[in-house]
Amino acid sequence: MAPAQENRTFSSDFIILGFGDLAELRIFFFAFFLIMHLVTLVGHTTIVLITLFDSCLQTPMYFFLRNLSAIEICYTLVIVPNMLANFLSRSQRMPFLGCALQMHLFIALGGAECFLLLAMAYDRFVAVCKPLHYSLIVTRVLCVRMLALAGTGGFALSLTLTTLIFLLPFCQSHEVNHFFCDIPALLLLACSVTRANEVAVFLVCVFILLVPFSLILLSYGHILAAVLRIRAAEGRSKAFSTCTGHLLVSLLHYGCAIFIYIHPKACYAPEQDKIVSLIYTNVTPMLYPVIYSLRNKDVKGALKRLLASPGRRS
């Protein structure tokens, strides 16, 4: 590549096309996803507050849930505000470094969430399968260490993945057929993607997605076997109520992510990918607080106490 062309690659802006083909529905979609975004922020902020200040929820399970909601808040703020702005314009210019930063933060937070969901699965595994040793195994120190590993692992792998992608030459069109700087959409623009880069990107995605998801499914296999051995119906119901929410969130999170990222470049379908990404970045984060509180008596009780406390003080 000539020096002039290489300099142009690293200085040119990307054009985020977003949903330019839906001009007549932009205002509707802007209002719809804005409301969804606000509901998501309120839901996760509520989870953070009740698990932080309610004395009944100072346990490892809610420590992880609080940090999961905090990650979701940051995760949606990285993507959704730009997406909403894109609804109001035909296209949106994104500086090269801004695009790289958005991708890095998106992957880092998503990767941290993947590893945190694995830590939550381990917490549930110990609680159900080794209840007598739970307080000795899942200590405060272990929880903080697992949280630190989840965050460090997510950001380290994200830096590796983002570097692999943005070192590729984007010497043709800079029009990204997506509503944010996502991996498949950027790979499609690279004019000389080598096999080694594609394999490296695939391996990082496998390590972030397939490995934790496989371990979560394995842990739930052991949990199911342990629950079926519980004779008391009340005990089984309690075990299921504390596990079903996490399992459903894991299926939604990993299912959408694996669908988007674990496939060859030749199978990439931009319009289909945008729809799944809309669900992945807007719908599922909004559902998580509902899923966690729907069958969880502790969370519902804490929420009632939080809502009733102003009335008692007055």
Side-chain angles (χ1 to χ4, degrees):
M1 179 185 294
Q5 190 178 18
E6 185 174 0
N7 291 336
R8 182 174 62 117
T9 299
F10 284 91
S11 62
S12 297
D13 294 344
F14 287 100
I15 308 298
I16 309 298
L17 298 180
F19 304 92
D21 54 340
L22 300 174
E24 67 281 0
L25 296 173
R26 280 182 191 160
I27 302 301
F28 169 77
F29 281 125
F30 173 81
F32 179 76
F33 284 105
L34 175 61
I35 293 171
M36 188 177 293
H37 181 52
L38 295 176
V39 170
T40 300
L41 294 179
V42 169
H44 285 290
T45 302
T46 302
I47 293 290
V48 170
L49 291 176
I50 62 176
T51 56
L52 187 62
F53 295 112
D54 195 285
S55 58
C56 298
L57 301 182
Q58 303 306 308
T59 64
M61 181 173 73
Y62 296 110
F63 170 82
F64 289 128
L65 180 57
R66 176 169 64 251
N67 285 283
L68 181 69
S69 286
I71 288 174
E72 281 292 339
I73 292 171
C74 299
Y75 179 80
T76 55
L77 288 174
V78 168
I79 301 299
V80 178
N82 281 337
M83 183 197 78
L84 292 174
N86 193 266
F87 278 123
L88 301 179
S89 60
R90 290 191 175 275
S91 62
Q92 186 179 31
R93 301 190 75 86
M94 177 79 76
F96 185 91
L97 292 179
C99 191
L101 179 61
Q102 185 187 52
M103 179 181 287
H104 171 60
L105 292 176
F106 173 73
I107 299 170
L109 292 166
E113 183 173 345
C114 288
F115 296 133
L116 189 58
L117 286 170
L118 176 59
M120 294 172 75
Y122 176 73
D123 171 67
R124 293 298 84 207
F125 166 77
V126 177
V128 174
C129 299
K130 300 181 179 181
L132 298 179
H133 301 91
Y134 179 77
S135 59
L136 297 175
I137 297 174
V138 186
T139 62
R140 179 75 177 182
V141 173
L142 179 64
C143 292
V144 172
R145 285 177 179 174
M146 287 195 289
L147 176 63
L149 283 173
T152 304
F155 274 81
L157 289 171
S158 172
L159 184 61
T160 302
L161 193 55
T162 305
T163 302
L164 283 170
I165 292 172
F166 279 87
L167 284 180
L168 295 169
F170 300 99
C171 52
Q172 298 177 8
S173 172
H174 279 220
E175 293 184 346
V176 180
N177 189 10
H178 211 297
F179 58 88
F180 70 100
C181 293
D182 202 10
I183 298 170
L186 267 293
L187 280 176
L188 199 66
L189 297 183
C191 58
S192 63
V193 177
T194 64
R195 185 65 178 171
N197 288 92
E198 289 189 38
V199 170
V201 168
F202 177 78
L203 290 176
V204 173
C205 289
V206 165
F207 190 77
I208 292 177
L209 297 172
L210 291 184
V211 173
F213 188 48
S214 300
L215 292 174
I216 288 174
L217 293 179
L218 180 63
S219 70
Y220 271 101
H222 289 285
I223 289 172
L224 180 61
V227 169
L228 293 177
R229 289 196 296 268
I230 299 175
R231 294 184 178 181
E234 184 179 351
R236 286 198 301 270
S237 177
K238 184 177 180 180
F240 276 124
S241 67
T242 59
C243 294
T244 50
H246 172 262
L247 181 58
L248 185 54
V249 166
S250 297
L251 291 173
L252 287 171
H253 179 79
Y254 287 103
C256 290
I258 290 170
F259 181 86
I260 294 172
Y261 300 112
I262 307 295
H263 59 67
K265 177 183 172 182
C267 300
Y268 175 65
E271 299 307 320
Q272 176 180 275
D273 191 69
K274 279 196 286 188
I275 293 172
V276 178
S277 294
L278 269 179
I279 297 171
Y280 185 58
T281 58
N282 290 268
V283 179
T284 56
M286 183 184 68
L287 294 177
Y288 292 170
V290 178
I291 292 171
Y292 273 114
S293 61
L294 196 60
R295 295 191 61 190
N296 193 309
K297 294 180 181 179
D298 294 335
V299 172
K300 288 190 287 188
L303 184 58
K304 288 178 182 178
R305 289 190 293 273
L306 179 68
L307 295 175
S309 56
R312 287 200 298 268
R313 286 195 296 269
S314 62

